[in-house]
Amino acid sequence: MSINIKPFFVSANVHNSHNYIRDLRSRCFADQENKAKETNLDLVGGFVLEPIGPNRKMGKLANCKSESEPHCVSKNIMKVQNLARIHRIESHHPMENEKKLLVLDLDLTLISGSHKERPFLHQFLTHTYQHYNLVLWSDSMMYRIRRILKKLKMHRHEDYKFSFYMCCNSVVYVQKGRREKKCKPLELIWRQFPAWGPHNSIIIDDMARNFLMNPQSGLEIEKFRGGEDDTLPQLAKYLEKIAGMDNFSTLNHNEWQNV
Ligand SMILES: [Mg+2]
């Protein structure tokens, strides 16, 4: 995919820049979806016509309680699985089989809006890295993610490593009621790394809508806007407590502060 990014840098107008980013992103999604459609042409019967349910061979989406929930709506599942089929993650640190998977958001989860570290950030990552493969997934451009991680010395830390980063190009729009909402479907990771699924993965974010396609794996935390905050040490305790469990699928992460 070739994208001309020149207009973004020559524009001094913030409003135009935002418009440009929106346009750039929609072109990325359109490109991904077109690829998915092309791929899908070869898959009729093997994919599209498969019955939807928790025991399907393909995909590890959470059990469906109601067809009205976004993660149970057939076209959302198809959209995510089609993208998962062509989505490629470039890993820069190997995933360790004995560790669970921890997917972390960046903005307002690990850092504030002004890029200040959430208190105890490095201790949190060092501690959780003992039990979890770390993945960072931000709804932001990859160059910005890398720039922030480098600035905060998270990029090549000697005490913890991120297996890979995911950016806005991997965020998917799914239908929720009459609207489309952005979310971070873990299926995109699970498809490429089949040792991980709902039983051993957790995603932490300050926005619950990012869990629309895997609500059971999501843990929502308070937004960090600066100042004193002890969320990460509390979270580290919870993650350590559940790390030894065989199956996360039965946990209710909404209760994480009471455990
Ligand atoms: Mg966020």
Side-chain angles (χ1 to χ4, degrees):
M1 173 173 41
S2 71
I3 296 167
N4 178 12
I5 58 173
K6 197 175 171 188
F8 175 65
F9 292 106
V10 297
S11 170
N13 182 304
V14 173
H15 178 70
N16 285 344
S17 302
H18 286 167
N19 284 344
Y20 179 72
I21 290 172
R22 199 177 306 130
D23 180 54
L24 183 65
R25 292 179 48 154
S26 59
R27 272 188 280 154
C28 289
F29 291 129
D31 190 60
Q32 283 186 323
E33 286 187 53
N34 286 339
K35 280 185 196 165
K37 280 175 192 162
E38 285 166 20
T39 314
N40 206 30
L41 291 176
D42 303 327
L43 300 170
V44 174
F47 175 64
V48 177
L49 300 181
E50 248 186 81
I52 290 167
N55 294 324
R56 283 173 310 140
K57 188 181 170 192
M58 295 180 63
K60 301 170 184 174
L61 296 166
N63 289 0
C64 293
K65 289 178 187 152
S66 159
E67 271 291 317
S68 63
E69 294 175 45
H71 68 294
C72 302
V73 174
S74 308
K75 73 173 186 179
N76 287 344
I77 293 175
M78 277 174 53
K79 184 173 189 178
V80 169
Q81 293 200 328
N82 280 346
L83 286 176
R85 193 175 285 277
I86 57 166
H87 187 268
R88 286 293 166 266
I89 293 166
E90 203 177 314
S91 170
H92 43 81
H93 182 72
M95 297 271 274
E96 297 173 54
N97 278 334
E98 68 279 9
K99 290 185 179 181
K100 307 278 199 289
L101 173 67
L102 173 60
V103 180
L104 295 160
D105 174 46
L106 180 63
D107 292 279
L108 306 184
T109 295
L110 298 184
I111 61 170
S112 71
S114 54
H115 303 176
K116 292 269 187 313
E117 293 173 13
R118 195 163 200 154
F120 309 104
L121 173 65
H122 296 286
Q123 293 94 323
F124 168 77
L125 294 171
T126 301
H127 195 77
T128 50
Y129 181 62
Q130 294 172 42
H131 308 288
Y132 294 84
N133 294 289
L134 303 178
V135 167
L136 192 123
W137 191 347
S138 166
D139 181 14
S140 181
M141 306 290 274
M142 187 58 86
Y143 79 87
R144 177 180 172 268
I145 297 170
R146 288 183 184 278
R147 195 179 62 198
I148 293 172
L149 296 186
K150 207 170 174 182
K151 186 181 155 202
L152 299 180
K153 301 191 178 359
M154 294 163 68
H155 184 46
R156 287 189 182 142
H157 201 283
E158 58 182 27
D159 294 329
Y160 60 82
K161 306 278 180 242
F162 284 97
S163 295
F164 49 87
Y165 311 135
M166 292 170 76
C167 67
C168 59
N169 288 349
S170 303
V171 172
V172 178
Y173 281 88
V174 296
Q175 197 76 35
K176 185 172 189 279
R178 290 182 177 182
R179 296 185 170 189
E180 287 209 318
K181 303 236 175 197
K182 286 191 284 186
C183 73
K184 299 175 179 175
L186 295 180
E187 181 77 3
L188 299 191
I189 300 175
W190 295 336
R191 177 64 64 96
Q192 192 169 333
F193 300 95
W196 290 270
H199 64 290
N200 59 1
S201 305
I202 181 165
I203 174 169
I204 296 176
D205 203 299
D206 63 288
M207 297 185 83
R209 67 155 165 75
N210 284 315
F211 317 139
L212 281 175
M213 291 305 290
N214 25 254
Q216 202 282 320
S217 301
L219 189 156
E220 183 185 7
I221 59 170
E222 286 283 315
K223 293 183 193 306
F224 174 61
R225 300 192 188 278
E228 290 185 11
D229 185 285
D230 65 350
T231 304
L232 292 183
Q234 283 185 52
L235 203 50
K237 277 186 201 163
Y238 176 72
L239 291 171
E240 184 176 9
K241 213 160 203 168
I242 65 170
M245 294 183 177
D246 291 334
N247 192 354
F248 286 0
S249 303
T250 55
L251 295 174
N252 178 4
H253 297 310
N254 292 333
E255 302 289 320
W256 74 274
Q257 283 169 307
N258 304 326
V259 173

